[in-house]
Amino acid sequence: MESGDMFRRVVRQSKFRHVFGQAVKNDQCYDDIRVSRVTWDSAFCAVNPKFVAIIVEASGGGAFLVLPLYKTGRIDKSYPTVCGHTGPVLDIDWCPHNDQVIASGSEDCTIMVWQIPENGLVTSMSEPVVVLEGHSKRVGIISWHPTARNVLLSAGCDNVVIIWNVGTGEAMITLEDMHPDVIYSACWNRNGSLICTAAKDKKIRVIDPRKEEIIAEKDKAHEGARPMRAIFLSDGNVFTTGFSRMSERQLALWNPQNMEEPISVHEMDTSNGVLLPFYDPDTNVVYLCGKGDSSIRYFEITDEAPFVHYLNTFTTKEPQRGMGYMPKRGLDVNKCEIARFYKLHERKCEPIIMTVPRKSDLFQDDLYPDTAGPDCALEAEEWFEGKNGEPILISLKHGYIPGKNRDLKVVKKNILDNKPKMSKNSENTNPAPKTATSAPSIKSEAKLEEVLKEIKSLRELVSSQEKRIAHLEEQLSKMDI
């Protein structure tokens, strides 16, 4: 029996066993790009079905490129950038509900949210739609909420996590005392009701951000000193990468209901690059891309021991400086493409296509279960009030047809209504400022009335002057005769 069991494990039936990776031809790469050299362990690249964004070197400030996917070949030095930050850009993330909206976090302590024109940039862009200010040190991690519109998470080197309502530009939740040390990664779960973080104190934490509570944590999830990463899987388990005490790279699987022991741990190799995990919830495949590695390893996660099953490794000659990962709706289903990576070299970005070989040309519905589409399940306000929404799924049977994106509108609250942020204790003991805010808003309404009246009288003046000028011109023309 045992030998049969072992045998089954070795030739485990999986439709992803034969996934193979292939880099595209040279003319389909994005060439002559000066990829950022900043020392930070983020992916440096973000992609969606319309654009690829890449953090680049910028003298005196921070910038990233946004290229339409079809804009392959050599990228001119004068190609416009998004360049509003005053310090290097450390992380970028496309909004999952609007393919023209991208957020960036920077060493200048701010997050900026940008609306990219439909056909890409024609001139450089230095004015964001909104600047989110609240961190006291550089902002190295940003991540959009998966199902609620305009909700953005940021984590800074001030060891603080902030959750923003981008639609009003407000910091709604500030998680201050949970992380005593630098936060290495932060990730939402599938419906965005929880986040998990990995920090330099070697702890993995599962946090309910709206209750501001840590609901599970694991000390020394990986015992090595180098950075860890933690992501949620769609079943609620947490997948981590890190280092053993002997500096071997490890991956592990945890159940937040019981963090005492991992469900499974694998040692990999002794390379020192941080492993960036990319996860496909539809197929339950995790792709691991080490920074500085020249390979992508992939694993399938199932509920059968050993739970994390090694599938294969895609290897190239060149090391990767960063990596972008295309959402499912941006893939070519006719070619049985199940993942597409955008590998950053020092001077170029190279797409890598992962395919499951199939003989038939028909739509392979076992490879493409319905996937998260671009519609959000909730508005920001509903989420902050406590509602949850599962991702709204779409079928890829006839390919993904992008809809029209609506513009990101930011409606700032009346600046006069903004009271200084206080700690919780002082807020409870001092409710006075709340009542005092209505008076300024009445004043400002009166001021607005005044301005509108003035505009009206100016309009009338202009129109009467126009009539007078016309009358005088008429008289002049008669005199000429």
Side-chain angles (χ1 to χ4, degrees):
M1 170 64 198
E2 248 172 54
S3 64
D5 190 43
M6 275 303 294
F7 184 68
R8 198 191 79 233
R9 206 174 285 177
V10 175
V11 292
R12 196 178 60 88
Q13 282 303 306
S14 166
K15 52 188 167 239
F16 305 112
R17 232 179 58 219
H18 302 293
V19 168
F20 71 98
Q22 205 170 15
V24 301
K25 294 190 173 71
N26 265 345
D27 60 354
Q28 289 174 299
C29 294
Y30 306 85
D31 260 320
D32 224 9
I33 292 167
R34 290 165 58 226
V35 174
S36 173
R37 293 179 178 284
V38 68
T39 43
W40 187 249
D41 285 322
S42 73
F44 285 14
C45 179
V47 284
N48 70 22
K50 279 188 169 180
F51 299 108
V52 51
I54 300 161
I55 303 174
V56 291
E57 281 289 281
S59 47
F64 58 96
L65 272 176
V66 174
L67 304 169
L69 290 185
Y70 59 78
K71 178 101 184 92
T72 51
R74 190 176 161 277
I75 305 301
D76 200 273
K77 290 219 178 356
S78 62
Y79 196 87
T81 58
V82 180
C83 54
H85 284 287
T86 56
V89 176
L90 301 176
D91 198 14
I92 48 178
D93 195 29
W94 285 107
C95 173
H97 310 122
N98 187 331
D99 287 341
Q100 280 154 243
V101 170
I102 187 168
S104 54
S106 162
E107 230 164 80
D108 66 12
C109 308
T110 70
I111 299 115
M112 293 183 177
V113 181
W114 311 84
Q115 172 117 15
I116 305 299
E118 200 161 344
N119 301 311
L121 296 177
V122 185
T123 56
S124 284
M125 187 179 265
S126 58
E127 287 298 317
V129 180
V130 65
V131 182
L132 306 174
E133 292 176 299
H135 285 284
S136 58
K137 290 194 176 165
R138 59 190 183 154
V139 182
I141 299 167
I142 50 172
S143 177
W144 290 94
H145 191 286
T147 64
R149 190 194 313 278
N150 291 344
V151 175
L152 182 69
L153 171 153
S154 63
C157 289
D158 49 8
N159 312 339
V160 173
V161 173
I162 300 180
I163 297 175
W164 306 83
N165 180 345
V166 175
T168 61
E170 286 177 295
M172 302 293 287
I173 296 168
T174 304
L175 307 175
E176 279 177 298
D177 307 319
M178 293 187 175
H179 300 88
D181 216 329
V182 175
I183 301 164
Y184 286 141
S185 77
C187 173
W188 296 97
N189 67 348
R190 185 140 167 89
N191 72 357
S193 58
L194 300 172
I195 59 175
C196 69
T197 62
K200 197 175 179 177
D201 64 355
K202 298 185 187 172
K203 276 191 183 175
I204 301 292
R205 294 171 175 83
V206 176
I207 298 166
D208 182 328
R210 289 168 297 190
K211 288 189 181 151
E212 303 191 14
E213 273 174 24
I214 296 172
I215 60 170
E217 62 183 347
K218 174 64 183 168
D219 195 14
K220 295 196 170 73
H222 296 275
E223 297 199 12
R226 292 193 46 71
M228 299 192 294
R229 283 280 184 283
I231 58 169
F232 267 114
L233 304 181
S234 55
D235 60 4
N237 285 342
V238 171
F239 179 91
T240 61
T241 65
F243 294 79
S244 70
R245 205 176 312 149
M246 309 300 293
S247 292
E248 289 172 306
R249 292 200 289 195
Q250 289 179 318
L251 51 92
L253 191 59
W254 308 86
N255 176 357
Q257 313 295 310
N258 174 15
M259 298 281 265
E260 274 309 294
E261 290 298 318
I263 299 169
S264 123
V265 182
H266 287 244
E267 259 78 36
M268 301 226 309
D269 56 18
T270 50
S271 177
N272 63 3
V274 175
L275 287 167
L276 306 179
F278 295 94
Y279 171 60
D280 176 4
D282 305 335
T283 57
N284 255 322
V285 174
V286 173
Y287 300 87
L288 298 183
C289 307
K291 264 203 144 177
D293 286 14
S294 46
S295 62
I296 300 173
R297 293 182 178 83
Y298 35 109
F299 298 81
E300 186 179 0
I301 295 169
T302 70
D303 40 22
E304 272 176 49
F307 307 106
V308 180
H309 309 268
Y310 170 75
L311 288 170
N312 214 331
T313 302
F314 167 77
T315 313
T316 54
K317 293 187 185 74
E318 298 285 320
Q320 54 229 15
R321 294 280 298 278
M323 195 68 83
Y325 178 62
M326 176 67 82
K328 224 17 171 319
R329 58 197 172 89
L331 302 180
D332 187 344
V333 297
N334 300 321
K335 296 200 171 90
C336 295
E337 183 181 10
I338 63 157
R340 191 188 312 155
F341 290 93
Y342 286 72
K343 173 181 167 179
L344 300 186
H345 299 243
E346 257 176 57
R347 302 285 307 204
K348 75 169 178 182
C349 170
E350 173 186 45
I352 291 165
I353 288 165
M354 300 280 180
T355 314
V356 175
R358 289 281 163 99
K359 290 189 173 72
S360 162
D361 287 340
L362 297 175
F363 177 70
Q364 307 289 314
D365 49 13
D366 63 323
L367 295 183
Y368 301 106
D370 289 356
T371 191
D375 290 339
C376 54
L378 298 169
E379 295 299 328
E381 291 69 20
E382 295 178 288
W383 185 79
F384 286 111
E385 282 162 12
K387 280 192 186 155
N388 290 325
E390 296 301 317
I392 295 176
L393 304 182
I394 56 170
S395 164
L396 295 177
K397 185 157 192 171
H398 305 293
Y400 166 67
I401 294 105
K404 185 89 178 86
N405 284 311
R406 68 188 205 180
D407 282 0
L408 169 61
K409 291 205 170 35
V410 175
V411 182
K412 289 258 179 142
K413 294 278 169 75
N414 184 339
I415 206 81
L416 297 168
D417 288 353
N418 276 2
K419 59 176 187 291
K421 207 86 165 109
M422 293 171 292
S423 70
K424 276 190 195 162
N425 305 348
S426 65
E427 206 168 272
N428 296 343
T429 55
N430 187 0
K434 287 186 180 168
T435 53
T437 54
S438 54
S441 71
I442 292 167
K443 266 189 204 163
S444 62
E445 275 178 32
K447 188 97 177 119
L448 186 63
E449 283 290 301
E450 213 174 293
V451 172
L452 289 172
K453 271 186 191 163
E454 205 169 313
I455 291 172
K456 195 177 173 199
S457 69
L458 282 170
R459 274 197 180 141
E460 284 167 0
L461 182 64
V462 169
S463 111
S464 73
Q465 293 288 28
E466 275 180 343
K467 280 177 190 160
R468 188 163 167 254
I469 291 167
H471 181 62
L472 287 169
E473 280 176 340
E474 203 181 322
Q475 283 184 323
L476 267 173
S477 65
K478 281 177 186 165
M479 283 166 70
D480 283 351
I481 295 162

